Coordinates of all heavy atoms in Angstrom, one line a residue:
M1 N 155.1 -243.2 -80.4 CA 155.3 -242.1 -81.4 C 156.8 -241.9 -81.6 O 157.6 -242.1 -80.7 CB 154.8 -240.8 -80.8 CG 155.0 -239.5 -81.8 SD 154.1 -238.1 -81.2 CE 152.5 -238.5 -81.6
G2 N 157.2 -241.7 -82.8 CA 158.7 -241.6 -83.1 C 159.3 -240.3 -82.8 O 158.7 -239.4 -82.3
A3 N 160.6 -240.1 -83.2 CA 161.3 -238.9 -82.9 C 160.9 -237.9 -83.9 O 160.6 -238.1 -85.0 CB 162.8 -239.2 -83.1
T4 N 161.0 -236.6 -83.4 CA 160.7 -235.5 -84.2 C 161.8 -234.4 -84.0 O 162.2 -234.1 -82.9 CB 159.3 -234.9 -83.8 OG1 158.4 -235.9 -83.8 CG2 158.9 -233.7 -84.7
T5 N 162.2 -233.8 -85.1 CA 163.3 -232.8 -85.0 C 163.2 -231.8 -86.2 O 162.4 -232.1 -87.2 CB 164.6 -233.5 -85.0 OG1 165.7 -232.5 -84.7 CG2 165.0 -234.1 -86.3
S6 N 164.0 -230.8 -86.2 CA 164.2 -229.9 -87.4 C 165.6 -230.1 -87.8 O 166.5 -230.2 -87.0 CB 163.9 -228.4 -87.0 OG 164.7 -228.0 -86.1
V7 N 165.8 -230.1 -89.1 CA 167.2 -230.2 -89.7 C 167.3 -229.1 -90.8 O 166.5 -228.8 -91.5 CB 167.4 -231.6 -90.3 CG1 167.4 -232.6 -89.2 CG2 166.4 -231.9 -91.4
E8 N 168.6 -228.7 -90.9 CA 169.0 -227.7 -91.9 C 169.5 -228.5 -93.1 O 170.4 -229.3 -93.0 CB 170.0 -226.7 -91.4 CG 169.7 -226.0 -90.2 CD 168.7 -225.0 -90.3 OE1 168.6 -224.4 -91.5 OE2 167.8 -224.8 -89.4
V9 N 168.9 -228.3 -94.3 CA 169.4 -228.9 -95.5 C 169.4 -227.9 -96.7 O 168.4 -227.3 -97.0 CB 168.4 -230.1 -96.0 CG1 169.0 -230.8 -97.2 CG2 168.3 -231.1 -94.8
E10 N 170.6 -227.6 -97.2 CA 170.8 -226.7 -98.3 C 170.0 -225.4 -98.1 O 169.2 -224.9 -99.0 CB 170.4 -227.4 -99.6 CG 171.3 -228.6 -100.0 CD 171.0 -229.2 -101.3 OE1 170.2 -228.6 -102.1 OE2 171.5 -230.3 -101.6
G11 N 170.1 -224.8 -97.0 CA 169.6 -223.5 -96.7 C 168.1 -223.5 -96.3 O 167.5 -222.5 -96.1
R12 N 167.5 -224.7 -96.2 CA 166.1 -224.8 -95.8 C 166.1 -225.5 -94.4 O 166.9 -226.3 -94.1 CB 165.3 -225.7 -96.8 CG 165.4 -225.2 -98.2 CD 164.7 -226.2 -99.0 NE 165.3 -226.2 -100.4 CZ 164.7 -226.5 -101.5 NH1 163.5 -226.8 -101.5 NH2 165.4 -226.5 -102.6
T13 N 165.0 -225.2 -93.7 CA 164.8 -226.0 -92.5 C 163.7 -226.9 -92.7 O 162.5 -226.5 -93.1 CB 164.5 -225.0 -91.3 OG1 165.6 -224.1 -91.1 CG2 164.2 -225.8 -90.0
L14 N 163.9 -228.1 -92.5 CA 162.8 -229.2 -92.6 C 162.4 -229.7 -91.2 O 163.2 -229.9 -90.4 CB 163.3 -230.4 -93.4 CG 163.9 -230.1 -94.8 CD1 164.2 -231.4 -95.5 CD2 162.9 -229.3 -95.6
L15 N 161.1 -229.9 -91.1 CA 160.6 -230.6 -89.9 C 160.4 -232.0 -90.2 O 159.6 -232.4 -91.1 CB 159.3 -229.9 -89.5 CG 159.4 -228.4 -89.3 CD1 158.0 -227.8 -89.1 CD2 160.2 -228.1 -88.0
M16 N 161.0 -232.9 -89.4 CA 161.0 -234.3 -89.7 C 160.5 -235.1 -88.6 O 160.8 -234.8 -87.4 CB 162.4 -234.8 -90.2 CG 163.0 -234.0 -91.3 SD 164.4 -234.7 -92.2 CE 163.6 -236.1 -92.9
H17 N 159.8 -236.1 -88.9 CA 159.2 -237.0 -87.9 C 159.3 -238.5 -88.3 O 158.9 -238.9 -89.5 CB 157.7 -236.7 -87.7 CG 157.0 -237.6 -86.7 ND1 157.3 -237.6 -85.4 CD2 156.1 -238.6 -86.9 CE1 156.5 -238.5 -84.8 NE2 155.8 -239.1 -85.7
R18 N 159.8 -239.3 -87.5 CA 159.9 -240.8 -87.7 C 158.6 -241.4 -87.2 O 158.4 -241.5 -86.0 CB 161.1 -241.3 -87.0 CG 161.3 -242.8 -87.2 CD 162.1 -243.0 -88.4 NE 162.4 -244.5 -88.7 CZ 163.6 -245.0 -88.6 NH1 164.7 -244.3 -88.4 NH2 163.8 -246.3 -88.8
V19 N 157.8 -241.8 -88.2 CA 156.5 -242.4 -87.9 C 156.7 -243.8 -87.3 O 156.1 -244.2 -86.3 CB 155.6 -242.4 -89.1 CG1 154.3 -243.0 -88.8 CG2 155.4 -241.0 -89.6
D20 N 157.5 -244.5 -88.0 CA 157.8 -246.0 -87.6 C 159.1 -246.4 -88.2 O 159.8 -245.7 -88.8 CB 156.6 -246.9 -87.9 CG 156.2 -247.0 -89.4 OD1 157.1 -246.8 -90.2 OD2 155.1 -247.1 -89.7
E21 N 159.3 -247.7 -88.2 CA 160.6 -248.3 -88.7 C 160.8 -248.0 -90.1 O 162.0 -247.8 -90.6 CB 160.7 -249.8 -88.5 CG 160.9 -250.2 -87.0 CD 162.2 -249.8 -86.5 OE1 163.2 -250.0 -87.2 OE2 162.2 -249.2 -85.4
S22 N 159.8 -247.8 -91.0 CA 160.0 -247.7 -92.4 C 159.3 -246.3 -92.9 O 159.4 -246.2 -94.1 CB 159.3 -248.8 -93.1 OG 157.9 -248.9 -92.8
T23 N 158.9 -245.4 -92.0 CA 158.2 -244.3 -92.5 C 158.7 -243.0 -91.9 O 158.9 -243.0 -90.6 CB 156.7 -244.3 -92.3 OG1 156.2 -245.6 -92.8 CG2 156.0 -243.2 -93.0
V24 N 159.0 -242.0 -92.6 CA 159.5 -240.7 -92.1 C 158.8 -239.6 -92.9 O 158.5 -239.7 -94.1 CB 161.0 -240.5 -92.2 CG1 161.4 -240.6 -93.7 CG2 161.5 -239.3 -91.5
T25 N 158.3 -238.5 -92.2 CA 157.8 -237.4 -92.9 C 158.7 -236.2 -92.8 O 159.5 -236.0 -91.9 CB 156.4 -237.0 -92.3 OG1 156.6 -236.6 -90.9 CG2 155.4 -238.1 -92.3
A26 N 158.6 -235.3 -93.9 CA 159.4 -234.1 -93.9 C 158.6 -233.0 -94.4 O 157.9 -233.1 -95.5 CB 160.6 -234.3 -94.8
Y27 N 158.5 -231.9 -93.7 CA 157.6 -230.8 -94.0 C 158.4 -229.4 -94.0 O 159.4 -229.3 -93.2 CB 156.4 -230.6 -93.1 CG 155.5 -231.7 -93.2 CD1 155.4 -232.8 -92.2 CD2 154.6 -231.9 -94.2 CE1 154.5 -233.8 -92.3 CE2 153.6 -232.9 -94.3 CZ 153.6 -233.8 -93.4 OH 152.8 -234.8 -93.5
S28 N 158.0 -228.5 -94.7 CA 158.5 -227.1 -94.6 C 158.3 -226.6 -93.3 O 157.2 -226.9 -92.7 CB 157.9 -226.3 -95.7 OG 158.1 -224.9 -95.4
N29 N 159.1 -225.8 -92.7 CA 158.9 -225.1 -91.4 C 158.2 -223.7 -91.5 O 158.2 -223.0 -90.6 CB 160.2 -224.9 -90.6 CG 161.1 -223.8 -91.2 OD1 161.1 -223.6 -92.5 ND2 161.9 -223.1 -90.4
V30 N 157.6 -223.5 -92.7 CA 157.0 -222.2 -93.0 C 155.4 -222.4 -92.8 O 154.8 -223.1 -93.5 CB 157.3 -221.6 -94.4 CG1 156.5 -220.4 -94.7 CG2 158.7 -221.5 -94.6
C31 N 154.9 -221.7 -91.8 CA 153.4 -221.7 -91.6 C 152.6 -221.3 -92.8 O 152.9 -220.3 -93.4 CB 153.1 -220.8 -90.4 SG 151.4 -220.8 -89.9
T32 N 151.6 -222.0 -93.0 CA 150.7 -221.8 -94.2 C 149.7 -220.6 -93.9 O 149.0 -220.3 -94.9 CB 150.0 -223.0 -94.6 OG1 149.2 -223.5 -93.5 CG2 150.9 -224.1 -95.1
H33 N 149.7 -220.1 -92.8 CA 148.8 -218.9 -92.5 C 149.5 -217.7 -93.1 O 149.0 -217.1 -94.1 CB 148.5 -218.8 -91.0 CG 147.7 -217.6 -90.7 ND1 148.0 -216.7 -89.7 CD2 146.5 -217.2 -91.3 CE1 147.0 -215.8 -89.6 NE2 146.1 -216.1 -90.5
Q34 N 150.5 -217.2 -92.4 CA 151.2 -216.0 -92.9 C 152.7 -216.1 -93.0 O 153.4 -215.1 -92.9 CB 150.8 -214.8 -92.1 CG 149.3 -214.4 -92.3 CD 148.9 -213.2 -91.5 OE1 149.6 -212.6 -90.7 NE2 147.7 -212.7 -91.7
G35 N 153.2 -217.3 -92.9 CA 154.6 -217.5 -93.2 C 155.6 -217.4 -92.0 O 156.8 -217.4 -92.2
C36 N 155.2 -217.5 -90.8 CA 156.1 -217.5 -89.7 C 156.7 -218.8 -89.6 O 156.3 -219.8 -90.3 CB 155.4 -217.2 -88.4 SG 154.8 -215.5 -88.2
L37 N 157.8 -218.9 -88.9 CA 158.6 -220.2 -88.9 C 158.2 -221.0 -87.7 O 158.1 -220.6 -86.5 CB 160.1 -219.8 -88.8 CG 160.7 -219.0 -89.9 CD1 162.1 -218.7 -89.8 CD2 160.3 -219.6 -91.3
L38 N 158.0 -222.3 -88.0 CA 157.4 -223.2 -87.0 C 158.5 -223.8 -86.1 O 159.6 -223.8 -86.5 CB 156.6 -224.4 -87.7 CG 155.6 -223.9 -88.6 CD1 154.9 -225.1 -89.3 CD2 154.4 -223.2 -87.9
Q39 N 158.0 -224.3 -84.9 CA 159.0 -224.9 -84.0 C 158.4 -226.2 -83.6 O 157.1 -226.4 -83.6 CB 159.1 -224.0 -82.8 CG 159.6 -222.7 -83.0 CD 159.3 -221.7 -81.9 OE1 158.4 -221.9 -81.0 NE2 160.0 -220.5 -81.9
V40 N 159.2 -227.1 -83.2 CA 158.7 -228.5 -82.6 C 158.4 -228.2 -81.2 O 159.2 -227.6 -80.4 CB 159.9 -229.5 -82.7 CG1 159.4 -230.9 -82.1 CG2 160.3 -229.7 -84.2
V41 N 157.2 -228.6 -80.8 CA 156.9 -228.5 -79.4 C 156.3 -229.8 -78.9 O 155.6 -230.4 -79.5 CB 155.8 -227.3 -79.2 CG1 156.3 -226.0 -79.5 CG2 154.5 -227.6 -80.0
D42 N 156.6 -230.0 -77.6 CA 156.1 -231.2 -76.9 C 154.9 -230.7 -76.0 O 155.0 -230.0 -75.2 CB 157.1 -231.9 -76.0 CG 158.2 -232.6 -76.9 OD1 157.8 -233.3 -77.9 OD2 159.4 -232.4 -76.6
R43 N 153.7 -231.3 -76.4 CA 152.5 -230.9 -75.7 C 152.0 -232.2 -75.0 O 152.4 -233.3 -75.3 CB 151.4 -230.5 -76.6 CG 151.9 -229.5 -77.6 CD 151.1 -229.4 -78.9 NE 149.7 -229.0 -78.6 CZ 148.6 -229.7 -78.9 NH1 148.8 -230.9 -79.5 NH2 147.4 -229.3 -78.7
P44 N 151.2 -232.0 -73.9 CA 150.6 -233.2 -73.2 C 150.0 -234.2 -74.2 O 150.0 -235.4 -74.0 CB 149.6 -232.6 -72.2 CG 150.1 -231.2 -72.0 CD 150.7 -230.8 -73.3
E45 N 149.3 -233.6 -75.3 CA 148.6 -234.5 -76.3 C 149.6 -235.1 -77.3 O 149.1 -235.9 -78.1 CB 147.6 -233.6 -77.0 CG 146.6 -232.9 -76.2 CD 147.1 -231.6 -75.7 OE1 148.3 -231.2 -75.9 OE2 146.3 -230.9 -74.9
G46 N 150.8 -234.7 -77.2 CA 151.8 -235.2 -78.2 C 152.6 -234.1 -78.9 O 152.2 -232.9 -78.8
T47 N 153.6 -234.5 -79.6 CA 154.5 -233.5 -80.2 C 153.8 -233.0 -81.5 O 153.0 -233.6 -82.1 CB 155.8 -234.2 -80.7 OG1 156.5 -234.8 -79.6 CG2 156.8 -233.2 -81.4
A48 N 154.0 -231.6 -81.7 CA 153.3 -230.9 -82.9 C 154.4 -229.9 -83.4 O 155.4 -229.6 -82.7 CB 152.0 -230.3 -82.5
Y49 N 154.0 -229.3 -84.6 CA 154.7 -228.2 -85.0 C 153.9 -226.9 -84.7 O 152.7 -226.9 -85.0 CB 155.0 -228.3 -86.5 CG 155.7 -229.6 -86.9 CD1 155.3 -230.3 -88.0 CD2 156.9 -229.9 -86.2 CE1 156.0 -231.5 -88.3 CE2 157.6 -231.0 -86.6 CZ 157.1 -231.8 -87.6 OH 157.8 -233.0 -88.0
A50 N 154.4 -226.0 -84.1 CA 153.7 -224.9 -83.6 C 154.2 -223.5 -84.1 O 155.4 -223.3 -84.3 CB 153.8 -224.7 -82.0
C51 N 153.2 -222.7 -84.4 CA 153.5 -221.3 -85.0 C 153.5 -220.3 -83.9 O 152.4 -220.2 -83.1 CB 152.5 -221.0 -86.0 SG 152.9 -219.4 -86.8
P52 N 154.5 -219.5 -83.6 CA 154.6 -218.6 -82.5 C 153.7 -217.3 -82.8 O 153.5 -216.5 -81.9 CB 156.1 -218.3 -82.4 CG 156.6 -218.5 -83.8 CD 155.8 -219.6 -84.3
C53 N 153.3 -217.2 -84.1 CA 152.7 -215.9 -84.4 C 151.2 -215.9 -84.0 O 150.7 -214.9 -83.4 CB 152.9 -215.6 -86.0 SG 154.6 -215.2 -86.4
H54 N 150.4 -216.8 -84.5 CA 149.0 -216.8 -84.2 C 148.5 -218.1 -83.7 O 147.2 -218.3 -83.6 CB 148.2 -216.4 -85.5 CG 148.8 -215.2 -86.2 ND1 149.4 -215.3 -87.4 CD2 148.8 -213.9 -85.8 CE1 149.9 -214.1 -87.7 NE2 149.5 -213.2 -86.8
G55 N 149.4 -219.0 -83.3 CA 148.9 -220.2 -82.5 C 148.5 -221.4 -83.3 O 148.0 -222.4 -82.7
S56 N 148.7 -221.4 -84.6 CA 148.4 -222.7 -85.3 C 149.3 -223.8 -85.0 O 150.5 -223.5 -84.7 CB 148.5 -222.4 -86.9 OG 147.4 -221.6 -87.3
H57 N 148.8 -225.0 -85.0 CA 149.7 -226.2 -84.8 C 149.5 -227.1 -86.0 O 148.4 -227.0 -86.7 CB 149.2 -226.9 -83.5 CG 149.6 -226.2 -82.3 ND1 149.0 -225.0 -81.8 CD2 150.6 -226.5 -81.3 CE1 149.7 -224.6 -80.7 NE2 150.5 -225.5 -80.4
F58 N 150.5 -227.9 -86.2 CA 150.4 -228.8 -87.3 C 150.7 -230.3 -86.8 O 151.6 -230.4 -86.1 CB 151.3 -228.4 -88.5 CG 151.0 -227.1 -89.1 CD1 151.3 -225.9 -88.4 CD2 150.2 -227.0 -90.2 CE1 151.0 -224.6 -89.0 CE2 149.8 -225.8 -90.8 CZ 150.3 -224.6 -90.2
D59 N 150.0 -231.2 -87.3 CA 150.2 -232.7 -87.0 C 151.6 -233.1 -87.6 O 151.8 -232.9 -88.8 CB 149.0 -233.5 -87.6 CG 149.1 -234.9 -87.1 OD1 150.0 -235.6 -87.7 OD2 148.3 -235.3 -86.4
V60 N 152.4 -233.8 -86.8 CA 153.8 -234.1 -87.2 C 153.6 -235.3 -88.3 O 154.6 -235.4 -89.1 CB 154.6 -234.6 -86.1 CG1 154.9 -233.4 -85.2 CG2 154.0 -235.7 -85.3
E61 N 152.6 -236.0 -88.4 CA 152.5 -237.1 -89.3 C 151.8 -236.7 -90.6 O 152.2 -237.2 -91.6 CB 151.7 -238.3 -88.7 CG 152.5 -239.0 -87.6 CD 151.9 -240.3 -87.1 OE1 151.0 -240.8 -87.8 OE2 152.3 -240.8 -86.0
T62 N 150.8 -235.8 -90.5 CA 150.0 -235.5 -91.7 C 150.3 -234.1 -92.2 O 150.0 -233.7 -93.4 CB 148.5 -235.6 -91.5 OG1 148.2 -234.5 -90.5 CG2 148.2 -237.0 -90.9
G63 N 150.9 -233.2 -91.4 CA 151.1 -231.8 -91.8 C 149.8 -231.0 -91.8 O 149.8 -229.8 -92.1
K64 N 148.7 -231.6 -91.3 CA 147.5 -230.8 -91.2 C 147.4 -229.9 -90.1 O 147.8 -230.2 -89.0 CB 146.3 -231.8 -91.3 CG 146.1 -232.6 -92.5 CD 144.9 -233.5 -92.5 CE 144.8 -234.3 -93.8 NZ 143.7 -235.3 -93.7
P65 N 146.8 -228.7 -90.3 CA 146.7 -227.7 -89.2 C 145.5 -227.9 -88.2 O 144.6 -228.6 -88.6 CB 146.5 -226.4 -89.9 CG 145.6 -226.8 -91.2 CD 146.2 -228.2 -91.5
F66 N 145.8 -227.5 -87.0 CA 144.7 -227.5 -86.0 C 145.0 -226.4 -85.0 O 146.1 -225.9 -84.8 CB 144.5 -228.9 -85.3 CG 145.8 -229.3 -84.5 CD1 145.9 -229.1 -83.2 CD2 146.9 -230.0 -85.2 CE1 147.0 -229.5 -82.5 CE2 147.9 -230.4 -84.5 CZ 148.1 -230.1 -83.1
G67 N 143.9 -226.0 -84.3 CA 144.1 -225.1 -83.2 C 144.5 -223.6 -83.5 O 145.1 -223.0 -82.7
G68 N 144.3 -223.2 -84.7 CA 144.7 -221.8 -85.1 C 144.1 -221.4 -86.4 O 143.3 -222.2 -87.0
P69 N 144.5 -220.3 -86.9 CA 143.9 -219.8 -88.2 C 144.4 -220.4 -89.5 O 143.7 -220.3 -90.5 CB 144.3 -218.3 -88.2 CG 145.6 -218.2 -87.4 CD 145.4 -219.3 -86.3
A70 N 145.5 -221.2 -89.4 CA 146.0 -221.9 -90.6 C 145.0 -222.9 -91.2 O 144.4 -223.6 -90.4 CB 147.3 -222.5 -90.4
R71 N 144.7 -222.9 -92.5 CA 143.7 -223.8 -93.0 C 144.4 -224.8 -94.0 O 143.8 -225.9 -94.3 CB 142.7 -223.0 -93.8 CG 141.8 -222.2 -92.9 CD 140.9 -223.1 -92.0 NE 140.2 -222.4 -91.1 CZ 140.5 -222.2 -89.8 NH1 141.6 -222.9 -89.3 NH2 139.8 -221.5 -88.9
Q72 N 145.6 -224.5 -94.5 CA 146.2 -225.4 -95.5 C 147.3 -226.2 -94.8 O 148.0 -225.8 -93.9 CB 146.9 -224.6 -96.6 CG 145.9 -223.7 -97.3 CD 144.9 -224.6 -98.0 OE1 145.2 -225.6 -98.7 NE2 143.6 -224.2 -98.0
P73 N 147.5 -227.5 -95.2 CA 148.6 -228.3 -94.6 C 149.9 -227.8 -95.0 O 150.0 -227.0 -96.0 CB 148.3 -229.7 -95.2 CG 147.6 -229.4 -96.5 CD 146.7 -228.2 -96.2
L74 N 150.9 -228.2 -94.3 CA 152.3 -227.8 -94.6 C 152.8 -228.4 -96.0 O 152.4 -229.4 -96.4 CB 153.3 -228.3 -93.5 CG 153.1 -227.7 -92.1 CD1 153.9 -228.4 -91.2 CD2 153.3 -226.2 -92.1
M75 N 153.7 -227.7 -96.6 CA 154.3 -228.2 -97.9 C 155.2 -229.4 -97.5 O 155.9 -229.3 -96.5 CB 155.2 -227.2 -98.5 CG 155.7 -227.6 -99.9 SD 156.7 -226.3 -100.6 CE 158.3 -226.6 -99.8
D76 N 154.9 -230.5 -98.2 CA 155.7 -231.7 -97.8 C 156.8 -232.0 -98.8 O 156.7 -231.6 -100.0 CB 154.8 -232.9 -97.6 CG 154.1 -233.3 -98.8 OD1 154.0 -232.5 -99.7 OD2 153.8 -234.5 -99.0
Y77 N 157.8 -232.7 -98.3 CA 158.9 -233.2 -99.1 C 158.8 -234.8 -99.1 O 158.5 -235.4 -98.2 CB 160.2 -232.8 -98.6 CG 160.5 -231.3 -98.6 CD1 160.1 -230.5 -97.5 CD2 161.0 -230.7 -99.8 CE1 160.3 -229.1 -97.6 CE2 161.2 -229.3 -99.8 CZ 160.9 -228.6 -98.7 OH 161.0 -227.2 -98.8
E78 N 159.2 -235.3 -100.3 CA 159.3 -236.8 -100.4 C 160.5 -237.2 -99.5 O 161.6 -236.8 -99.8 CB 159.5 -237.2 -101.9 CG 159.4 -238.6 -102.1 CD 159.4 -239.0 -103.5 OE1 158.9 -238.2 -104.4 OE2 160.1 -240.0 -103.9
A79 N 160.2 -238.1 -98.6 CA 161.3 -238.6 -97.7 C 161.1 -240.1 -97.6 O 160.0 -240.6 -97.5 CB 161.2 -237.9 -96.3
A80 N 162.3 -240.8 -97.4 CA 162.3 -242.2 -97.2 C 163.5 -242.6 -96.4 O 164.5 -241.9 -96.3 CB 162.4 -242.9 -98.6
I81 N 163.4 -243.8 -95.8 CA 164.5 -244.5 -95.1 C 165.2 -245.4 -96.0 O 164.5 -246.3 -96.5 CB 163.9 -245.1 -93.8 CG1 163.3 -244.0 -92.9 CG2 165.0 -245.8 -93.1 CD1 162.5 -244.5 -91.8
D82 N 166.5 -245.2 -96.1 CA 167.3 -246.1 -96.9 C 168.4 -246.6 -96.0 O 169.4 -246.0 -95.8 CB 167.8 -245.3 -98.1 CG 168.7 -246.2 -99.0 OD1 168.6 -247.4 -98.8 OD2 169.3 -245.6 -100.0
G83 N 168.3 -247.8 -95.5 CA 169.2 -248.4 -94.6 C 169.2 -247.6 -93.2 O 168.2 -247.4 -92.7
D84 N 170.4 -247.0 -93.0 CA 170.5 -246.2 -91.8 C 170.5 -244.6 -92.1 O 170.9 -243.8 -91.3 CB 171.7 -246.5 -90.9 CG 173.0 -246.4 -91.7 OD1 173.0 -246.1 -92.9 OD2 174.1 -246.6 -91.1
Q85 N 170.0 -244.4 -93.3 CA 170.1 -243.0 -93.7 C 168.5 -242.5 -94.1 O 167.7 -243.3 -94.5 CB 170.9 -242.7 -95.0 CG 172.4 -242.9 -94.7 CD 173.2 -242.5 -95.9 OE1 172.7 -242.5 -97.0 NE2 174.4 -242.0 -95.6
V86 N 168.3 -241.3 -94.0 CA 167.0 -240.7 -94.4 C 167.3 -239.9 -95.6 O 168.2 -239.0 -95.6 CB 166.3 -239.8 -93.4 CG1 165.1 -239.1 -93.9 CG2 166.0 -240.6 -92.1
V87 N 166.6 -240.2 -96.7 CA 166.8 -239.5 -98.0 C 165.6 -238.5 -98.3 O 164.4 -239.0 -98.2 CB 166.9 -240.5 -99.1 CG1 167.1 -239.8 -100.5 CG2 168.1 -241.4 -98.9
V88 N 165.9 -237.3 -98.5 CA 164.8 -236.3 -98.8 C 165.0 -235.7 -100.1 O 166.1 -235.3 -100.5 CB 164.8 -235.2 -97.7 CG1 163.7 -234.2 -98.0 CG2 164.6 -235.8 -96.3
K89 N 163.9 -235.7 -100.9 CA 164.0 -235.1 -102.3 C 163.5 -233.6 -102.1 O 162.4 -233.3 -101.8 CB 163.1 -235.8 -103.2 CG 163.3 -235.4 -104.7 CD 162.4 -236.2 -105.6 CE 162.9 -237.6 -105.7 NZ 162.1 -238.5 -106.7
L90 N 164.5 -232.7 -102.4 CA 164.2 -231.2 -102.2 C 163.6 -230.7 -103.5 O 163.8 -231.2 -104.6 CB 165.4 -230.5 -101.9 CG 166.0 -230.9 -100.5 CD1 167.3 -230.1 -100.3 CD2 165.0 -230.6 -99.4
Ligands
FES101 FE1 151.3 -219.1 -88.4 FE2 149.6 -217.0 -88.4 S1 151.5 -217.2 -89.4 S2 149.4 -218.9 -87.4

């Protein structure tokens, strides 16, 4: 599994995950249940994005929810690896 982190870009917080050498994902840090702000958490089952309000978790690769009341996946941003940089379309 690749690296996972949150980054600040132009006033937004993006949750980013390096899937492999050529793939990166970028999601909004706003929970799709009631809008709380997500955090990166390391769990025994693997890294996830977790909501502190009602316990929803989101898959770092797909943005899909599990383990809580959220039903919609996270809003995603188009992200790509270009050389040694990551480019995100906001
Ligand atoms: Fe995130 Fe309710 S606001 S689970």
Side-chain angles (χ1 to χ4, degrees):
M1 179 172 290
T4 307
T5 190
S6 63
V7 295
E8 305 291 325
V9 182
E10 296 184 10
R12 303 174 215 208
T13 300
L14 305 184
L15 301 171
M16 303 196 68
H17 175 72
R18 180 85 179 245
V19 178
D20 57 32
E21 287 295 314
S22 60
T23 311
V24 64
T25 59
Y27 293 105
S28 164
N29 72 329
V30 178
C31 181
T32 57
H33 179 230
Q34 292 181 354
C36 290
L37 301 182
L38 305 174
Q39 303 162 343
V40 178
V41 295
D42 288 317
R43 309 157 64 239
E45 304 85 359
T47 303
Y49 303 133
C51 182
C53 292
H54 312 108
S56 288
H57 287 69
F58 296 84
D59 186 287
V60 296
E61 291 189 13
T62 66
K64 292 181 179 176
F66 62 92
R71 293 291 173 258
Q72 298 299 315
L74 296 175
M75 184 179 86
D76 67 333
Y77 293 92
E78 188 177 321
I81 296 170
D82 183 9
D84 59 357
Q85 295 187 330
V86 174
V87 179
V88 179
K89 192 177 287 185
L90 298 177

